[in-house]
């Protein structure tokens, strides 16, 4: 039997899957190494972006391939309980799109980084360097 209330359980689950994940830490390390300053999980911004660079008005979302239905292998939907998952993933996808649209409308540059792409640190570096102005240290 589950010893947590549904609400607590759902809070725990959402923390597990959305905060301080390994890919997110990799992006933070890379940004830090490039000399950028950033804030984390700004609740006052639509969609609570994982990483925010206020100075460059840039919001970064680190998406897990499974939960955000990436078009890669890891983003494949489970075969059982198809209806439940389709429904859930469609909602996630719609919410992601609405969040990006709202942030962009408010003048934010949004960067979506996929878990499976982050492993390639060279390409990650290139993506960040392209999106962000050069730092003059
Ligand atoms: Zn992926």
């Amino acid at each position: 039997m589950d010893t947590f209330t549904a609400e607590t359980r759902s809070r725990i689950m959402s923390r597990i899957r959305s905060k301080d994940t390994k890919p997110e830490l990799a992006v933070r390390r890379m940004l830090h190494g490039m000399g950028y300053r950033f804030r984390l999980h700004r609740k006052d911004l639509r969609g609570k972006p994982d990483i925010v660079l206020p100075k460059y008005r840039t919001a970064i979302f680190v998406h897990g391939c499974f939960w955000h239905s990436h078009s890669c292998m890891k983003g494949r939907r489970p075969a059982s309980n198809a209806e439940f998952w389709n429904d859930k993933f469609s909602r996630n996808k719609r919410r992601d799109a609405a969040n990006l649209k709202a942030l962009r409308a408010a003048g934010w540059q949004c960067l979506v980084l996929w878990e499976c792409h982050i492993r390639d640190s060279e390409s990650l570096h290139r993506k960040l360097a392209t999106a962000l102005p050069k730092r003059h240290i």
Side-chain angles (χ1 to χ4, degrees):
M1 217 185 92
D2 202 333
T3 52
F4 295 107
T5 64
E7 198 186 314
T8 309
R9 165 64 59 202
S10 125
R11 205 172 61 234
I12 292 170
M13 291 305 286
S14 77
R15 281 177 86 99
I16 288 169
R17 71 164 191 264
S18 72
K19 260 202 174 172
D20 302 327
T21 58
K22 221 168 117 195
E24 203 182 308
L25 290 175
V27 177
R28 275 147 66 172
R29 251 197 311 277
M30 173 85 66
L31 281 170
H32 191 257
M34 293 166 82
Y36 293 103
R37 295 188 162 269
F38 49 85
R39 304 273 310 272
L40 301 175
H41 310 285
R42 283 235 335 230
K43 291 190 182 67
D44 56 321
L45 287 179
R46 180 76 186 265
K48 235 200 295 164
D50 298 304
I51 301 167
V52 176
L53 294 95
K55 192 173 172 186
Y56 306 104
R57 225 175 152 72
T58 297
I60 300 179
F61 291 88
V62 179
H63 278 356
C65 297
F66 180 71
W67 291 106
H68 297 267
S69 326
H70 194 209
S71 54
C72 70
M73 285 284 286
K74 280 187 92 178
R76 286 217 298 226
R77 297 172 180 196
S80 60
N81 248 331
E83 205 175 317
F84 168 80
W85 288 112
N86 280 338
D87 195 51
K88 176 151 194 62
F89 286 129
S90 303
R91 254 183 295 135
N92 283 356
K93 254 191 134 81
R94 269 201 305 276
R95 200 184 44 215
D96 287 345
N99 288 341
L100 290 184
K101 202 174 157 194
L103 278 174
R104 283 180 176 137
W108 286 83
Q109 168 179 235
C110 297
L111 215 57
V112 174
L113 302 173
W114 291 98
E115 177 190 4
C116 65
H117 291 164
I118 287 165
R119 259 175 252 127
D120 180 351
S121 57
E122 221 170 280
S123 115
L124 174 62
H125 188 277
R126 216 171 23 246
K127 258 181 221 146
L128 294 172
T130 307
L132 298 166
K134 287 253 180 314
R135 293 264 300 122
H136 301 286
I137 304 171

